[in-house]
Amino acid sequence: MLIENIIFWPLYALLWAAVVRYDVHMFQHNSYREERYARWFRGGYKFGRAAIIAALAIVGFISNPVFIGFSVVFMSVMAWREFRTTYKKPIVYTMRVKRLIVSAALLTIAAVAVAEIFAPQIAMPMALALLILPIVMLTANLVNKPLEAAISRWYYNDAKRILRSMPQLTIIGVTGSFGKTSTKHYLYRILSEKYNVLMTPGNFNTTLGVIRTVREHLKPHHQIFIVEMGAKQVGDIKEICDLVQPTIGIVTAVGEMHLETFHTQENILRTKFELIDALPADGLGVVNLDSEPIARRTMNHKCRVLGYAIDNTSADYLAQEIDYAASDTSFAIKTADALREGYTTHLAGRGNILNLLAAVAVADHLQVSESMQKRAMRQIEQIEHRLSVRRTAGGITIIDDAYNSNPTGAKMALEVLRNFRRMEGGRRIVVTPGFVELGERQAELNRELGREIASACDIAIVVNKTNREAISSGILGQEFNKNNLIEVDSFANASARLASMMRAGDVILYENDLPDSFK
């Protein structure tokens, strides 16, 4: 009894805290959606086998001191390892997370207390059994659902009230499979030459993120509100549009992303165009006609719709005379009225030119002068992890496209790498873990990525095991030198390999970075 009370339960509390924190962290990673969390769990649960071993040990240690020692040591090591682990995207202790942890603690205490009263011999085995599966966290979420729904409704209605109080506010929605965050930033910078503009910060592109932006940041002096709209299933964009009621909408691209939840590209297309469908008759839609699914779509919307492109000559805004120089990119814009020359940006890649075209189309609609557009464009800074380019003191160029990669965006990044000017003796290197959340198409699309990589680089580093086989087979199928294909388990391993082999003149592309829930 002394060992049980003084040693086991304090160590159990420590392990419980580590396991539940990890569970809630991964639940947050999966947007608090039970079906996504369940898919992640089936892919491999970090604490599962560990908890089973500990539970078996507890069952046996009642009469065996050896099991006592084993369990104590095991729980201590597991808790210590978890608390010292650092994650790329750490847990954010929002009020929802705090409520989940408190509810999980109360549920665990209640279950153990009942067992101690009515069946003390199974209290410890049952306590460990609670850690075998994320039962505690999911149960806590179920218990909290009515409260969370009521809180969400109150926040929604409050945001709606604030928006109703600003009838002169122009609201612009930006969505797409990729490019929406960059377009949002570029549009913000250009429109700020004339207007007082607010945009949703960071990755606040869900309904709750937009609500939080409205309640915490939107002020009466704002004239324009740019809303980034993300989606992982049909209806997500419509839900945001019902809240903010935009009058201008941009669809940057439609590609194969989140196929696990969308299932088909047609569903993705339909969801992205929920934004254009929501615009009023006097509104303006702006769409990327270089995105094939968009170009094939019939534009029978009640509002005016403009197209922009680099290749599709039927576009209303067509980039021409593109010149990629070492320090900047210049281009002209052909419209129905004229050829407008002299646009210059420090941004790299055709994807960024397309994003700038969308911003120019909206700026024209809102009567921002051409001179203001050009001045703002010259001052736009690269966005971290979105095809940003930097050069190290050692003469190495880093192309960072690590955020939220997708097949079409990856091709654009590899095009930049393929055409990048390098010093004599320099090599082109790609570091990537591939794509995820693509359902049945995931292996096929990662093999295609491998084929694209083989034609763009001299050395390929494939990170972690999730897509290793598919990417590597795609690379080697193109007669790529197998000695220049490096497979590693983590980005830390990739960094170590790079540190030992990099030399002046090398150009390194980081393409995608999987979240902590993928191993």
Side-chain angles (χ1 to χ4, degrees):
M1 182 63 70
L2 183 64
I3 291 177
E4 174 185 329
N5 292 329
I6 295 179
I7 298 179
F8 174 77
W9 288 115
L11 284 174
Y12 171 78
L14 190 65
L15 181 60
W16 179 93
V19 172
V20 170
R21 188 186 75 159
Y22 179 72
D23 283 343
V24 174
H25 190 185
M26 293 301 105
F27 197 38
Q28 189 177 68
H29 257 309
N30 287 283
S31 305
Y32 303 106
R33 298 193 180 191
E34 293 168 358
E35 69 283 358
R36 291 188 64 198
Y37 181 81
R39 281 196 299 273
W40 163 79
F41 175 78
R42 289 194 297 270
Y45 182 60
K46 181 175 175 180
F47 279 95
R49 285 175 297 180
I52 291 171
I53 294 171
L56 292 173
I58 294 302
V59 170
F61 93 53
I62 296 173
S63 59
N64 191 333
V66 174
F67 283 112
I68 297 177
F70 173 80
S71 300
V72 166
V73 171
F74 186 80
M75 286 191 291
S76 301
V77 169
M78 287 300 301
W80 176 76
R81 285 184 61 186
E82 171 57 24
F83 281 121
R84 70 186 293 270
T85 299
T86 57
Y87 293 98
K88 301 166 192 170
K89 185 178 179 182
I91 186 171
V92 180
Y93 287 98
T94 62
M95 291 305 298
R96 178 170 186 172
V97 164
K98 292 175 182 177
R99 288 191 291 268
L100 275 171
I101 292 173
V102 169
S103 296
L106 293 175
L107 286 168
T108 302
I109 291 170
V112 172
V114 169
E116 281 282 8
I117 294 171
F118 296 102
Q121 70 277 8
I122 68 164
M124 284 185 286
M126 188 205 68
L128 267 297
L130 290 175
L131 304 182
I132 295 175
L133 298 174
I135 296 171
V136 173
M137 189 275 300
L138 288 175
T139 305
N141 182 62
L142 182 64
V143 170
N144 287 0
K145 266 189 175 181
L147 175 62
E148 298 299 339
I151 292 172
S152 295
R153 279 195 303 273
W154 190 90
Y155 286 154
Y156 183 96
N157 291 333
D158 190 50
K160 196 81 171 175
R161 175 190 60 78
I162 294 170
L163 290 167
R164 280 198 304 266
S165 72
M166 301 176 65
Q168 302 306 314
L169 182 68
T170 298
I171 299 176
I172 304 171
V174 183
T175 191
S177 297
F178 54 91
K180 54 185 176 290
T181 301
S182 297
T183 301
K184 173 186 70 175
H185 279 272
Y186 305 162
L187 183 60
Y188 171 85
R189 181 63 190 84
I190 291 173
L191 295 184
S192 294
E193 290 287 315
K194 183 175 181 179
Y195 299 101
N196 197 319
V197 186
L198 173 69
M199 66 177 178
T200 49
N203 295 320
F204 280 34
N205 60 13
T206 64
T207 302
L208 290 178
V210 175
I211 288 171
R212 183 175 172 184
T213 304
V214 170
R215 297 184 66 249
E216 296 179 7
H217 301 289
L218 187 62
K219 305 300 179 186
H221 61 263
H222 286 125
Q223 297 168 288
I224 294 176
F225 181 27
I226 305 172
V227 181
E228 180 179 342
M229 300 180 177
K232 291 186 177 177
Q233 57 190 23
V234 175
D236 282 355
I237 302 298
K238 183 180 183 302
E239 183 177 75
I240 300 174
C241 289
D242 288 344
L243 170 65
V244 301
Q245 297 182 1
T247 56
I248 300 172
I250 300 173
V251 180
T252 61
V254 170
E256 295 176 299
M257 292 188 70
H258 306 304
L259 285 174
E260 284 188 347
T261 50
F262 280 117
H263 304 299
T264 68
Q265 191 176 79
E266 181 57 37
N267 283 339
I268 299 174
L269 179 66
R270 182 155 51 91
T271 301
K272 300 307 179 185
F273 270 79
E274 289 172 356
L275 170 57
I276 308 299
D277 293 336
L279 299 176
D282 60 349
L284 175 69
V286 178
V287 300
N288 175 12
L289 294 183
D290 275 353
S291 178
E292 290 185 15
I294 295 177
R296 292 194 302 264
R297 181 183 174 92
T298 302
M299 302 296 171
N300 55 351
H301 301 278
K302 58 186 176 183
C303 67
R304 182 187 180 202
V305 178
L306 298 176
Y308 63 94
I310 294 174
D311 297 324
N312 191 326
T313 56
S314 66
D316 301 281
Y317 285 76
L318 185 66
Q320 295 185 336
E321 301 176 8
I322 301 171
D323 180 39
Y324 297 105
S327 59
D328 55 40
T329 301
S330 62
F331 60 97
I333 300 176
K334 184 179 184 299
T335 66
D337 301 325
L339 179 66
R340 294 154 54 175
E341 298 178 308
Y343 284 91
T344 303
T345 178
H346 298 303
L347 304 170
R350 62 187 284 119
N352 279 321
I353 294 177
L354 287 167
N355 298 335
L356 289 168
L357 284 174
V360 167
V362 174
D364 283 351
H365 179 72
L366 294 175
Q367 301 179 343
V368 178
S369 69
E370 185 176 329
S371 61
M372 287 181 175
Q373 295 173 22
K374 291 177 177 177
R375 181 174 62 206
M377 199 177 292
R378 286 192 297 270
Q379 297 173 356
I380 290 174
E381 298 294 330
Q382 297 176 346
I383 302 175
E384 190 177 14
H385 307 313
R386 291 172 171 87
L387 208 59
S388 59
V389 180
R390 62 182 175 87
R391 292 168 177 82
T392 70
I396 296 165
T397 302
I398 307 295
I399 304 174
D400 186 350
D401 196 40
Y403 181 82
N404 202 24
S405 184
N406 61 87
T408 306
K411 287 182 181 179
M412 290 183 179
L414 289 166
E415 179 185 338
V416 172
L417 178 67
R418 191 180 293 113
N419 297 324
F420 206 91
R421 301 173 188 175
R422 52 182 174 170
M423 294 169 52
E424 185 176 351
R427 301 160 299 178
R428 296 185 176 96
I429 303 171
V430 173
V431 181
T432 185
F435 317 123
V436 294
E437 297 184 342
L438 294 176
E440 295 178 354
R441 294 263 289 151
Q442 183 161 315
E444 178 186 345
L445 290 170
N446 277 290
R447 276 191 293 272
E448 176 60 28
L449 172 65
R451 291 190 283 270
E452 293 284 343
I453 288 172
S455 68
C457 73
D458 305 298
I459 298 172
I461 301 178
V462 180
V463 181
N464 87 26
K465 300 176 182 178
T466 304
N467 299 309
R468 177 180 295 173
E469 182 179 350
I471 297 172
S472 295
S473 66
I475 293 173
L476 296 176
Q478 301 299 301
E479 299 182 357
F480 191 84
N481 185 345
K482 66 179 181 180
N483 294 324
N484 290 340
L485 172 60
I486 300 170
E487 298 176 339
V488 296
D489 289 337
S490 67
F491 271 101
N493 297 142
S495 298
R497 292 295 295 270
L498 282 170
S500 67
M501 61 187 281
M502 287 188 300
R503 63 191 187 208
D506 285 348
V507 182
I508 303 169
L509 169 64
Y510 288 95
E511 183 59 34
N512 202 11
D513 182 9
L514 300 186
D516 299 299
S517 51
F518 292 94
K519 302 298 179 186

